[in-house]
């Protein structure tokens, strides 16, 4: 794409002025945000309370006061989420969220300020008021083949996930938020060119995630899916930074920010279970299962979802130990009434299970809904499957056969990952350092992306770099 013209750039810089007509956060917006906030935080793994959270809050409020909104210091709530997904978003009422996984991708406080400024911009411009603000994210329909849309069973399945605000904005709104964010961060004393650097890092991370799809796939939306990104947008951000009048320089490495990240958890929180490629393991529940190839696993706060082209599945805790009763209760929650199928029984890796498949309607088409219940020594769990009519268990047969108990030794051996900040020594290279990354594959690519490096960049002794190591 071509670079924007000078006139277009002036228009982009001028655009934020219109957004400043909102001088305060309305009472209705505050009430709406306050209602959604607890469930949203829960769905994204809860609040992250490590030392980095206080740092994020300080930077967020420092940027927010530049928005022109009255009492921005007190009105904005900046939360770090304990989520392994790279994302940041805002909802009405001044609620701003950043995941710890996105913090790990950043290499400076200025990059953090650019993301927070962008989200403050969405609030200041009241972008949520011009779209449908309610959506389902992180539910069984998160990856959403429109198979079930509009049906009663679809409504019930969607109801099992949190009702969250949509996070996706149009291109013009994204550009306007970019302009606002750059204005705010510059006024707060940050380098405006960090916005383009951050967007470039996000694009690189998105590209890497696409390459590793099926290994680290996650159905919960990331920044890349909710904030349209492109090389043109990076160029626009750089041009907007230039319009501030600040000269573009090569700032020294932000060692304070990097050292602040040292020891921060990376990826899944073991307390919530670990997604390792196609396998899910939960040390607390002492169970594991493997998703079929091509299916993505999303680990939510109260359920685990498995989504692919052939159907969708959700695992959650059930009440009691009677398998038939657990199945009936789950169908009741789905609103399908008494299931018409016959109860069938089986055993997987020493664990007894039972299932019933019934026919349901979705979008005026027939689908199969199956509830499978497993009786573990300590609890009962159900899988809810939705597949095309006639498929029954179909593509999920390997998944159901893979459900197994986790031994105490296996459970104790599950450790999360964390960020380790190390100093480059004489003779260190990208290859030698990336070999220490705690991943089975794409070590070099992950190291380069995490540190914002060029593929063949020489590392200078004394430089700080991020590694992902076992916790």
């Amino acid at each position: 794409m071509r670079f924007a013209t000078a006139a277009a750039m002036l228009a982009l810089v001028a655009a934020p002025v219109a957004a400043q007509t909102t001088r305060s956060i309305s009472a209705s917006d505050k009430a709406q945000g306050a209602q959604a906030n607890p469930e949203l935080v829960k769905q994204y793994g809860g609040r992250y309370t490590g030392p980095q959270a206080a740092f994020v809050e300080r930077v967020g409020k420092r940027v927010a006061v530049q928005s022109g909104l009255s009492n921005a210091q007190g009105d904005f709530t900046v939360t770090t989420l304990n989520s392994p997904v790279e994302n940041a978003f805002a909802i009405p009422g001044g609620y701003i969220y950043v995941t710890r996984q996105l913090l790990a991708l950043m290499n400076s406080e200025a990059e953090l300020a650019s993301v927070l400024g962008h989200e403050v911009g969405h609030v200041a411009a009241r972008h949520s008021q011009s779209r449908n603000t309610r959506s389902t994210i992180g539910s069984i329909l998160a990856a959403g083949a429109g198979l079930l849309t509009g049906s009663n069973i679809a409504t019930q399945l969607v109801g099992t996930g949190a009702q969250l605000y949509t996070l996706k904005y149009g291109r013009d709104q994204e550009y306007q938020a970019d302009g606002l964010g750059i204005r705010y961060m510059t006024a707060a004393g940050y380098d405006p060119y960090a916005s383009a650097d951050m967007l470039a890092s996000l694009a690189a991370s998105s590209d890497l995630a696409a390459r590793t799809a099926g290994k680290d796939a996650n159905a919960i939306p990331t920044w890349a899916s909710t904030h349209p990104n492109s090389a043109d947008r990076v160029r626009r951000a750089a041009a907007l930074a230039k319009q501030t009048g600040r000269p573009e320089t090569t700032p020294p490495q932000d060692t304070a920010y990097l050292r602040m990240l040292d020891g921060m958890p990376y990826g899944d929180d073991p307390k919530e279970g670990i997604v390792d490629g196609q396998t899910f393991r939960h040390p607390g529940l002492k169970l594991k299962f493997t998703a079929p190839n091509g299916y993505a696993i999303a680990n939510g706060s109260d359920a685990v979802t498995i989504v692919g082209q052939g159907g969708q599945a959700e695992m959650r805790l059930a009440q009691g130990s009677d398998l038939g009763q657990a199945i009936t209760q789950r169908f009741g929650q789905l609103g399908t009434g008494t299931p018409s199928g016959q109860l069938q029984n089986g055993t997987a890796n020493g664990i007894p299970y039972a299932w019933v498949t019934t026919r349901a309607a979705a979008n005026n088409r027939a689908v199969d809904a199956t509830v499978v219940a497993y009786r573990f020594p300590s609890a009962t769990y159900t899988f809810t499957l939705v597949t095309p009519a006639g498929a029954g268990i179909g593509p999920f047969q390997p998944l159901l056969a893979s459900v197994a108990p986790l031994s105490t030794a296996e459970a104790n051996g599950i450790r999360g990952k964390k960020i380790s900040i190390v100093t480059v020594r004489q003779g260190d290279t990208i290859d030698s350092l990336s070999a220490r990354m705690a991943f089975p594959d794409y070590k070099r690519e992950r190291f380069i992306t995490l540190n914002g490096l060029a593929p063949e960049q020489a590392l200078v002794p004394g430089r700080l770099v991020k590694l992902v190591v076992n916790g």
Side-chain angles (χ1 to χ4, degrees):
M1 297 184 179
R2 295 178 299 172
F3 284 85
T5 63
M9 284 304 163
L10 287 172
L12 283 169
V13 172
V17 174
Q20 298 302 316
T21 57
T22 300
R23 306 308 300 177
S24 64
I25 298 175
S26 70
S28 62
D29 280 358
K30 288 181 181 180
Q32 191 178 28
Q35 181 180 9
N37 176 62
E39 193 65 27
L40 193 155
V41 170
K42 177 182 175 183
Q43 188 68 24
Y44 270 82
R47 297 177 186 276
Y48 174 68
T49 57
Q52 296 82 12
F55 183 92
V56 171
E57 184 176 18
R58 287 196 300 273
V59 175
K61 294 198 171 187
R62 175 177 169 182
V63 173
V65 296
Q66 305 302 328
S67 66
L69 296 171
S70 62
N71 195 29
Q73 275 275 6
D75 284 349
F76 276 83
T77 301
V78 184
T79 303
T80 304
L81 298 169
N82 187 30
S83 170
V85 178
E86 289 172 355
N87 208 352
F89 47 91
I91 63 173
Y95 290 86
I96 307 295
Y97 307 89
V98 177
T99 64
R100 60 171 167 78
Q101 195 77 354
L102 186 57
L103 288 184
L105 182 66
M106 299 172 184
N107 287 288
S108 70
E109 183 177 335
E111 290 184 1
L112 172 61
S114 75
V115 169
L116 294 169
H118 177 99
E119 300 304 338
V120 169
H122 281 309
V123 174
R126 305 194 76 214
H127 285 156
S128 66
Q129 305 309 312
S130 61
R131 60 197 170 95
N132 177 18
T133 59
R134 300 300 286 182
S135 179
T136 56
I137 300 170
S139 73
I140 195 170
L141 300 181
L147 184 65
L148 303 176
T149 304
S151 71
N152 181 51
I153 188 171
T155 301
Q156 295 301 322
L157 282 170
V158 168
T160 66
Q163 300 290 314
L164 305 185
Y165 286 84
T166 53
L167 310 177
K168 195 167 186 175
Y169 299 92
R171 182 184 62 182
D172 291 344
Q173 290 176 328
E174 288 297 337
Y175 287 160
Q176 187 181 31
D178 284 345
L180 285 164
I182 289 172
R183 166 182 284 193
Y184 300 159
M185 67 180 295
T186 304
Y190 292 104
D191 179 2
Y193 294 92
S195 178
D197 293 339
M198 186 72 250
L199 288 171
S201 290
L202 285 160
S205 183
S206 176
D207 290 344
L208 178 59
R211 293 178 62 185
T212 61
K215 295 181 174 62
D216 292 326
N218 198 312
I220 297 177
T222 63
W223 173 284
S225 65
T226 61
H227 297 71
N229 205 0
S230 66
D232 182 57
R233 187 173 170 200
V234 174
R235 289 194 292 267
R236 283 172 176 265
L240 284 168
K242 187 175 182 179
Q243 291 293 323
T244 66
R246 290 275 298 270
E248 184 173 9
T249 61
T250 302
Q253 188 176 39
D254 191 344
T255 57
Y257 179 84
L258 293 172
R259 293 193 186 281
M260 182 268 298
L261 295 180
D262 195 39
M264 185 178 73
Y266 186 90
D268 290 313
D269 184 340
K271 295 192 297 293
E272 301 294 332
I274 295 289
V275 178
D276 187 7
Q278 298 301 102
T279 299
F280 175 79
R281 297 175 295 158
H282 198 299
L285 304 180
K286 289 193 174 180
L287 64 79
K288 63 182 176 180
F289 62 79
T290 301
N293 289 332
Y295 283 69
I297 301 175
N299 186 16
S301 60
D302 58 357
V304 183
T305 63
I306 305 96
V307 184
Q309 291 296 319
Q312 303 159 71
E314 178 194 78
M315 188 211 82
R316 61 174 51 241
L317 179 68
Q319 299 296 319
S321 60
D322 182 270
L323 298 183
Q325 186 177 6
I327 291 171
T328 300
Q329 288 177 345
R330 184 66 182 129
F331 273 118
Q333 293 168 355
L334 296 174
T336 61
T338 303
S340 59
Q342 184 176 7
L343 181 71
Q344 302 183 68
N345 296 279
T347 303
N349 304 296
I351 302 298
Y353 69 92
W355 77 94
V356 172
T357 298
T358 192
R359 190 59 54 86
N363 266 352
N364 298 317
R365 292 185 298 169
V367 298
D368 282 348
T370 302
V371 175
V372 188
Y374 289 82
R375 185 169 58 244
F376 276 70
S378 59
T380 301
Y381 302 95
T382 61
F383 279 86
T384 303
L385 316 177
V386 180
T387 55
I393 291 173
F396 292 110
Q397 183 61 55
L399 165 70
L400 301 180
S402 73
V403 176
L406 204 62
S407 70
T408 300
E410 287 179 300
N412 291 339
I414 294 175
R415 296 186 300 165
K417 298 179 175 67
K418 66 179 182 180
I419 293 290
S420 177
I421 303 300
V422 302
T423 303
V424 175
R425 298 180 179 179
Q426 191 69 39
D428 283 341
T429 65
I430 287 177
D431 286 330
S432 67
L433 287 171
S434 62
R436 297 163 57 182
M437 295 280 281
F439 294 98
D441 55 13
Y442 295 93
K443 292 174 180 281
R444 191 177 201 277
E445 293 85 350
R446 295 179 196 272
F447 177 80
I448 288 170
T449 302
L450 189 65
N451 288 284
L453 300 172
E456 303 304 327
Q457 183 171 337
L459 299 182
V460 178
R463 179 190 179 100
L464 297 183
V465 294
K466 293 174 280 187
L467 293 178
V468 177
V469 300
N470 289 318

